[in-house]
Amino acid sequence: MVQLDNSKIVILGTGGTIAGTAAQAGDNIGYRAAQVGVDQLIRSVASLSSVLGEGNLVTEQVAQVDSKDMGFAIWRELALRCAHWLADRTVKGIVITHGTDTLEETAWFLQSVLQPGKPVVLTCAMRPATALAPDGPQNILDAVTVALDPLAMGVVAVCAGVVHSARDVQKDHPYRLDAFSSGDAGPLGFVEENAVRWVKFDEKATYLSVDRSFFAIESIVDSMPWPRVEIVMNYAGASGAMVDMLVRDGVQGLVAAGTGNGSLHQDLEAALIRAQMAGVKVVRASRCAKGRVLSHSGDRIADSHGLSPVKARVTLMLALLGLHGPQVRSEPVFTGITLPWPWAYPALEVIHIIGIGLLLGNLVLLELRVFGRGSALPVPELARLSLTLVAIGFSLAALSGTVMFATQPGDLLANRTFTLKMLLLFVAGSNAAWFHARQSLDKLDGFARLQMFVSTVIWVAIIVLGRWIAY
């Protein structure tokens, strides 16, 4: 570790192409990433001292990995080290050297959990350190320039002289040096001759105190293992087979990368809704590199609020970890309980159907007797047996239905069919109360028969609406 005193810029190394080496200087593809230590990288930046002025550096090797292999353990350690240095009053900002493949995910993860008031700048390279003209040294210099800028704050990414916000940055080219963009949101600024020209600031970003950053980090450190969240993609001929398999395998969250405005093949959408009803958290993003999904009140799967699929996955994982920072709390899709076993929701559906069968079957049996069928059966004895089974059936249906509702309350409350079903349940309950209050079983008059007929019709309608919601 290289360390000097006074106000500091901290450079954390994690590997990547910027730390890569190749057997031949002209080879910009067949290199091995994550071979050069961060101290050696810094020594290759000849003009760094002129940018730093009287400031000093701290370098620390947090990881040494090709970023395609980035994992939760490194994210956890990186967040801890960032939180540690952010709490140091002599630290002006942090620079992180990172691979390009997953830089945008790491940036969004750190912004979501740290939301730092100081700058945390991720930088990278598209050529290895041994290239004839490596781009890493200039990117490091630019990143330090941004970290020293008095207007800089929060997590940003710097590549090829362009400053991107953590929310919008995305890798959009596999080879060229300027491999990142901010989509139609546009960059935050540009680094020009060791100075930052800001063109805008991230109005959506939220910044926390150091104490709150540590609280967020503790939520992550204490969580083992992290929740499993997978991404599925929509395409021509997409099916729900992968979703069904993931649900059986215990997945806890799913992000659907939809086409266009988050649209989904009908088979894939049906599978995602089944997963949602089984307690899996589901969110819908778009494959498009620009724009965002525009939601509609009738959508059965919530959208990602402008996040790309990979960043929506990060946010969903953090929500499932119980991290309720402003970035996470703003996503309404992360509501409702999660059932602990993949078979739990199907089991509840079985109980629900059994309850409905007992309820409706015995109501129909009693109604047939009231209308003159099976006249040999005494009405009082049949009523006692049938209504007891009706009560048991109603209890099973109500209990299982309440638990299923708790897995997705937001989606159901926004569903007009569900609202109509609840209204009919109220009408059915009111009719039953009236039926018993006027002692209709003892009278068995025309009005009693009408009440029983209406009750049966209402319960059939409730069943139809329930199946409509499910499928």
Side-chain angles (χ1 to χ4, degrees):
M1 175 184 290
V2 177
Q3 181 169 345
L4 300 173
D5 294 327
N6 304 321
S7 63
K8 299 183 282 284
I9 293 295
V10 178
I11 301 184
L12 305 178
T14 67
T17 298
I18 195 171
T21 60
Q24 297 179 348
D27 189 354
N28 294 325
I29 299 177
Y31 59 87
R32 294 183 62 189
Q35 302 299 305
V36 179
V38 66
D39 288 349
Q40 185 177 343
L41 282 179
I42 299 310
R43 285 195 290 270
S44 70
V45 187
S47 303
L48 191 56
S49 58
S50 62
V51 172
L52 280 169
E54 297 181 358
N56 294 302
L57 284 180
V58 174
T59 63
E60 186 176 313
Q61 195 76 48
V62 176
Q64 190 70 298
V65 66
D66 187 326
S67 78
K68 68 179 176 57
D69 299 319
M70 183 60 66
F72 302 148
I74 298 176
W75 274 1
R76 184 186 291 111
E77 183 63 22
L78 188 58
L80 281 170
R81 297 314 298 157
C82 285
H84 167 79
W85 288 115
L86 289 169
D88 187 336
R89 294 186 178 181
T90 67
V91 171
K92 172 65 177 68
I94 298 173
V95 171
I96 300 171
T97 58
H98 197 288
T100 60
D101 285 351
T102 55
L103 180 145
E104 61 199 84
E105 294 166 67
T106 299
W108 181 242
F109 165 74
L110 291 175
Q111 175 61 30
S112 295
V113 299
L114 295 171
Q115 298 172 44
K118 297 178 181 180
V120 175
V121 187
L122 281 81
T123 194
C124 55
M126 291 298 290
R127 293 175 179 170
T130 54
L132 290 172
D135 55 327
Q138 183 65 54
N139 285 342
I140 292 174
L141 189 65
D142 291 346
V144 171
T145 300
V146 172
L148 288 168
D149 191 279
L151 297 180
M153 63 174 59
V155 180
V156 298
V158 173
C159 181
V162 185
V163 186
H164 305 277
S165 72
R167 171 180 284 273
D168 298 315
V169 65
Q170 54 187 313
K171 186 175 181 179
D172 66 356
H173 201 281
Y175 183 77
R176 73 185 184 204
L177 299 185
D178 187 9
F180 288 85
S181 80
S182 293
D184 55 6
L188 298 179
F190 303 91
V191 184
E192 301 166 340
E193 295 300 314
N194 300 333
V196 184
R197 176 170 62 89
W198 299 101
V199 295
K200 69 170 190 174
F201 295 96
D202 188 356
E203 298 177 353
K204 295 182 179 179
T206 306
Y207 307 105
L208 295 180
S209 66
V210 171
D211 291 340
R212 290 198 61 190
S213 290
F214 271 116
F215 175 78
I217 296 302
E218 287 173 1
S219 299
I220 295 170
V221 172
D222 293 340
S223 299
M224 278 293 285
W226 282 26
R228 183 182 175 191
V229 178
E230 303 286 355
I231 299 174
V232 295
M233 183 177 286
N234 190 55
Y235 45 83
S239 74
M242 181 62 70
V243 172
D244 292 336
M245 184 191 72
L246 289 170
V247 172
R248 289 194 299 269
D249 201 38
V251 73
Q252 293 165 272
L254 288 169
V255 176
T259 42
N261 191 38
S263 60
L264 301 168
H265 188 285
Q266 58 185 0
D267 294 343
L268 177 59
E269 183 176 27
L272 289 168
I273 291 172
R274 289 196 299 272
Q276 199 166 244
M277 295 179 70
V280 177
K281 301 302 178 185
V282 181
V283 65
R284 182 171 50 96
S286 175
R287 287 174 17 180
C288 297
K290 296 181 179 180
R292 56 174 294 167
V293 174
L294 300 178
S295 60
H296 184 268
S297 59
D299 291 339
R300 301 187 65 182
I301 300 174
D303 71 90
S304 64
H305 286 226
L307 294 178
S308 67
V310 293
K311 291 177 184 176
R313 175 177 177 265
V314 171
T315 296
L316 184 49
M317 283 192 298
L318 293 176
L320 290 171
L321 279 172
L323 178 60
H324 298 295
Q327 296 285 7
V328 175
R329 189 171 54 243
S330 66
E331 312 298 339
V333 65
F334 308 131
T335 57
I337 66 171
T338 300
L339 299 176
W341 309 284
W343 49 262
Y345 200 96
L348 285 171
E349 284 191 314
V350 170
I351 294 171
H352 198 68
I353 292 170
I354 290 173
I356 292 173
L358 285 172
L359 187 153
L360 185 60
N362 283 280
L363 276 180
V364 171
L365 182 64
L366 185 58
E367 181 181 335
L368 289 173
R369 175 63 188 89
V370 169
F371 277 90
R373 299 290 183 179
S375 56
L377 296 172
V379 172
E381 286 77 2
L382 181 61
R384 277 194 297 270
L385 176 60
S386 295
L387 293 179
T388 299
L389 292 174
V390 165
I392 294 173
F394 178 79
S395 299
L396 291 174
L399 180 61
S400 57
T402 300
V403 177
M404 288 191 290
F405 167 80
T407 65
Q408 47 178 340
D411 294 333
L412 290 173
L413 290 174
N415 190 318
R416 294 180 180 178
T417 305
F418 178 80
T419 302
L420 179 58
K421 178 182 175 182
M422 291 300 101
L423 177 62
L424 288 181
L425 278 171
F426 175 76
V427 173
S430 300
N431 184 59
W434 189 12
F435 183 85
H436 291 287
R438 71 181 296 271
Q439 298 180 331
S440 295
L441 268 179
D442 296 330
K443 299 177 181 178
L444 290 181
D445 54 7
F447 192 76
R449 293 186 178 90
L450 177 62
Q451 283 185 298
M452 292 205 69
F453 177 75
V454 169
S455 179
T456 301
V457 171
I458 291 174
W459 280 108
V460 169
I462 290 170
I463 293 170
V464 170
L465 292 175
R467 295 307 86 197
W468 186 275
I469 294 170
Y471 297 105

